Amino acid sequence: MSEDRVDARVDARVDAVAETLFREQDRLVAAFEEFGGDTFRRTPWQRDGFGRGQVCVLDGGAVLERAAVNVSVVAGTRLPPSITDSAPHLLGQPFRVTGLSMVVHPANPYAPACHANFRYFSSSGSDWWFGGGVDLTPSYGFDEDATHFHRTLRDWCARHSVGDYPAWKSACDSYFTLPHRDETRGVGGVFFDRLTGSFADHWSCVADGLATVLPAYLPILRRRHAQPFTERERHWQSLRRGRYVEFNLVHDRGTRFGLQTGADIDAVLVSLPPLASWEYGLVPEPGSPEADLQRFLTPQDWLRPRGG
Amino acid sequence: MSEDRVDARVDARVDAVAETLFREQDRLVAAFEEFGGDTFRRTPWQRDGFGRGQVCVLDGGAVLERAAVNVSVVAGTRLPPSITDSAPHLLGQPFRVTGLSMVVHPANPYAPACHANFRYFSSSGSDWWFGGGVDLTPSYGFDEDATHFHRTLRDWCARHSVGDYPAWKSACDSYFTLPHRDETRGVGGVFFDRLTGSFADHWSCVADGLATVLPAYLPILRRRHAQPFTERERHWQSLRRGRYVEFNLVHDRGTRFGLQTGADIDAVLVSLPPLASWEYGLVPEPGSPEADLQRFLTPQDWLRPRGG
């Protein structure tokens, strides 16, 4: 879609949303730099007739082994099958889309990975929607982490008339699932797509969602990033990251969209962990912390009162 | 498809082919055990109404970091979309299929990975075909390895009236390609599918192909497995294995067939390397052996006379 002229009628609100996303990118990167002590590499890019963006990546950090916060605003007329399959009336329509995606893979095996994505799509001014989500993927399960994460997301949703934590939480569980493993990718979070109606209400909710990523995730990182570990936990983390790779390459729509559009492949695959492994016939020792992870990988209400 | 009764008319030649595949499995495993000095784990399996097989896996070997040789013979009536998309008349037809698949990921970064697959499919006795292939994936390129591999495969094809090295070599280049990277997975080999006509001729050719795997690959392993290397080469190998994972999870039909049929997921994904990594914005130093690999990752005639 790189060479096509874009219909000038396409929703100019895209630019306003994009400006906010670029500001949020700066804020997230600054927060992770302060937390981890390592500096991200910032790579702004621009392609005529396609769009612009900025890739911010940290590779090999001591605390955050890999982290990326990317923002782009792009235009085109040829939507990939990953969108037109479910919205055939958009075939050949000019569109613009802006999005922020974030992934953090901490070095410490006890610190969970976190992924967030927010995007605004607009076609010819008539069709528009917000989509996005935030989710958490631990290698070792901690109830208090899952509960903190979900409580923070629920409270965000509760602040907005258009927020719907139960539906979005359930959509997240459905989406971030490895059917071939019969397990979820992690403890979930929220996931929403094709949100449309009042732009003001939805944008207010989404912008607040962006601001909720750090309060949802940083307290967990703080709790876990310095927890002592051995090679055993690193190896387990690497195996769990293998599952993360399976999800992203086999199922993730964002990744498949990127592979189909010929976008910068490094930027698309920056969501992958730095190191992943696979082992045949792996069964964690019953009663071990590794075996305990399994109970976190099935959809459940993280906010129900729990017995001691 | 696990619970369906299988039409008794389905081609009984499946059993004859399967017996040969089980024998070849023993032979391949024995050869790799002798070469590497490590013992494979053998896991026979049987599922009523579905089929049987044997998974032979070596994990963490000193010479062969991961190797697997699997044979199965299974039956069903519900073919997955990966087959019926291109053969809709087979929808709902009983079938049996037997196959051998092999993958070897050597520990030494200079020793290439090798993959081979041979299968016989039969539906109600009327439709049947052979499919398969053999291909080589180096992390560091050596012309003599690629040439030896292709020469051995060409000579095999030349021994059979139904062998077609040029067509199969070209099909291999097309199939083992990462479009999103604009590179092949490795230096290719041969790939064929839906071979039908004279069963005797095709089976003779395929059986000889099975016997060609070791002469094509072992001399290369012998040349490379003890070549000195450092952490730099191991890291590069791990990055290249990331590309292998990308191919298998995003494109490989065998893997996708496995994910769709609910087969034992560990057996399906045993083709993945033990360890893989991804790095943002990786560009090998110009003139380095790592940069030199790129010239191996584009389809070319490995048997043309080369200038000194």
Side-chain angles (χ1 to χ4, degrees):
Chain A
M1 63 189 173
S2 58
E3 298 308 324
D4 295 275
R5 290 282 192 75
V6 177
D7 192 314
R9 294 167 304 166
V10 165
D11 193 350
R13 288 188 299 220
V14 171
D15 293 307
V17 174
E19 284 324 299
T20 301
L21 297 185
F22 280 114
R23 275 201 307 276
E24 282 298 317
Q25 181 183 38
D26 286 342
R27 214 172 57 83
L28 287 164
V29 168
F32 289 125
E33 287 183 338
E34 192 195 335
F35 180 77
D38 291 294
T39 305
F40 282 58
R41 219 177 340 156
R42 290 159 171 82
T43 312
W45 61 270
Q46 177 135 24
R47 266 165 67 188
D48 282 353
F50 180 69
R52 66 197 171 89
Q54 183 173 228
V55 176
C56 298
V57 177
L58 170 60
D59 239 341
V63 173
L64 306 179
E65 194 174 0
R66 166 164 299 163
V69 189
N70 298 347
V71 171
S72 65
V73 48
V74 302
T77 56
R78 282 196 294 277
L79 278 167
S82 58
I83 287 185
T84 54
D85 279 356
S86 60
H89 65 285
L90 293 177
L91 268 169
Q93 288 295 310
F95 68 88
R96 293 183 73 204
V97 58
T98 185
L100 176 149
S101 65
M102 178 202 99
V103 65
V104 177
H105 292 285
N108 191 305
Y110 291 114
C114 184
H115 159 260
N117 177 269
F118 296 93
R119 58 194 175 276
Y120 176 66
F121 173 94
S122 176
S123 172
S124 302
S126 50
D127 276 284
W128 63 263
W129 64 75
F130 285 102
V134 192
D135 72 290
L136 192 74
T137 307
S139 295
Y140 288 91
F142 295 97
D143 291 277
E144 55 177 332
D145 293 355
T147 300
H148 166 81
F149 194 72
H150 278 272
R151 188 188 301 121
T152 312
L153 295 176
R154 182 201 57 192
D155 293 349
W156 153 47
C157 293
R159 291 193 290 272
H160 302 271
S161 60
V162 297
D164 189 345
Y165 171 77
W168 297 356
K169 189 267 184 202
S170 162
C172 187
D173 287 333
S174 303
Y175 182 75
F176 289 103
T177 285
L178 287 84
H180 59 281
R181 297 283 190 185
D182 196 22
E183 63 185 34
T184 54
R185 182 169 82 172
V187 298
V190 293
F191 181 85
F192 51 90
D193 205 2
R194 309 285 172 104
L195 292 189
T196 194
S198 157
F199 176 83
D201 289 351
H202 284 297
W203 178 219
S204 159
C205 178
V206 166
D208 193 19
L210 273 157
T212 300
V213 172
L214 289 175
Y217 185 44
L218 271 188
I220 299 171
L221 266 188
R222 274 196 204 97
R223 231 178 348 237
R224 306 293 165 207
H225 83 278
Q227 198 162 325
F229 63 89
T230 69
E231 269 313 298
R232 167 191 169 137
E233 289 83 14
R234 267 299 268 182
H235 181 59
W236 175 250
Q237 178 191 45
S238 183
L239 290 163
R240 293 306 311 175
R241 285 169 167 182
R243 306 289 170 99
Y244 202 96
V245 171
E246 287 175 29
F247 179 83
N248 283 30
L249 294 185
V250 177
H251 295 290
D252 186 56
R253 286 203 286 267
T255 305
R256 298 189 80 80
F257 178 102
L259 296 178
Q260 287 165 0
T261 50
D264 170 21
I265 202 65
D266 271 336
V268 171
L269 296 183
V270 78
S271 62
L272 298 182
L275 206 64
S277 60
W278 285 267
E279 209 170 281
Y280 177 77
L282 174 79
V283 181
E285 196 190 329
S288 67
E290 290 79 15
D292 185 54
L293 177 67
Q294 209 55 44
R295 73 179 172 90
F296 289 83
L297 304 181
T298 190
Q300 58 202 279
D301 179 4
W302 290 106
L303 303 176
R304 73 180 186 277
R306 280 157 199 260
Chain B
M1 62 188 174
S2 59
E3 299 308 323
D4 295 275
R5 290 284 190 75
V6 177
D7 192 313
R9 295 166 306 166
V10 166
D11 192 353
R13 290 188 298 220
V14 171
D15 293 308
V17 174
E19 284 324 298
T20 302
L21 297 185
F22 280 115
R23 276 201 307 275
E24 282 298 318
Q25 181 183 39
D26 285 342
R27 215 172 57 83
L28 287 164
V29 168
F32 290 126
E33 287 184 337
E34 193 196 334
F35 180 78
D38 291 295
T39 305
F40 283 57
R41 221 178 336 155
R42 290 160 172 81
T43 313
W45 61 269
Q46 178 136 22
R47 265 165 67 189
D48 282 354
F50 179 70
R52 66 197 172 89
Q54 183 174 228
V55 177
C56 298
V57 176
L58 169 60
D59 239 342
V63 173
L64 306 179
E65 194 173 0
R66 165 164 301 163
V69 189
N70 298 346
V71 170
S72 65
V73 47
V74 302
T77 56
R78 281 197 293 276
L79 278 166
S82 58
I83 287 183
T84 54
D85 280 355
S86 60
H89 66 285
L90 293 177
L91 268 169
Q93 288 296 308
F95 68 90
R96 294 184 72 204
V97 59
T98 184
L100 175 150
S101 65
M102 179 203 98
V103 65
V104 178
H105 292 284
N108 191 305
Y110 292 113
C114 185
H115 159 259
N117 178 269
F118 296 93
R119 58 194 176 277
Y120 176 66
F121 174 94
S122 178
S123 172
S124 302
S126 50
D127 276 284
W128 63 263
W129 63 75
F130 285 102
V134 192
D135 72 289
L136 192 75
T137 306
S139 295
Y140 288 91
F142 295 97
D143 291 277
E144 55 179 333
D145 293 355
T147 299
H148 165 81
F149 194 73
H150 277 272
R151 189 189 300 121
T152 312
L153 295 176
R154 182 201 56 190
D155 293 350
W156 153 47
C157 293
R159 291 194 290 273
H160 301 271
S161 60
V162 298
D164 189 345
Y165 171 77
W168 297 356
K169 188 267 183 202
S170 163
C172 188
D173 287 334
S174 302
Y175 182 74
F176 289 103
T177 286
L178 289 83
H180 59 280
R181 297 281 190 185
D182 195 23
E183 65 186 31
T184 54
R185 184 170 81 171
V187 299
V190 294
F191 181 85
F192 51 91
D193 205 2
R194 309 285 171 103
L195 293 189
T196 194
S198 156
F199 176 82
D201 289 351
H202 284 295
W203 178 217
S204 161
C205 178
V206 166
D208 192 19
L210 273 157
T212 301
V213 172
L214 289 175
Y217 185 44
L218 271 188
I220 299 170
L221 267 187
R222 275 196 202 97
R223 235 184 340 242
R224 306 294 165 208
H225 83 277
Q227 198 163 325
F229 63 88
T230 69
E231 269 311 300
R232 168 191 169 138
E233 288 83 14
R234 267 297 271 183
H235 181 58
W236 175 249
Q237 178 191 44
S238 181
L239 291 163
R240 292 307 311 176
R241 285 169 166 181
R243 305 290 170 99
Y244 202 97
V245 170
E246 287 175 28
F247 179 83
N248 283 29
L249 294 183
V250 176
H251 295 291
D252 186 55
R253 287 204 286 266
T255 305
R256 298 189 79 80
F257 178 101
L259 296 177
Q260 287 165 359
T261 50
D264 170 20
I265 202 64
D266 271 336
V268 171
L269 296 183
V270 79
S271 63
L272 297 182
L275 206 64
S277 60
W278 285 266
E279 209 170 281
Y280 177 77
L282 174 79
V283 181
E285 197 189 328
S288 66
E290 290 79 16
D292 185 53
L293 178 68
Q294 209 56 44
R295 73 181 172 89
F296 289 82
L297 304 181
T298 188
Q300 59 202 278
D301 179 5
W302 290 105
L303 302 176
R304 73 179 186 278
R306 280 155 199 261

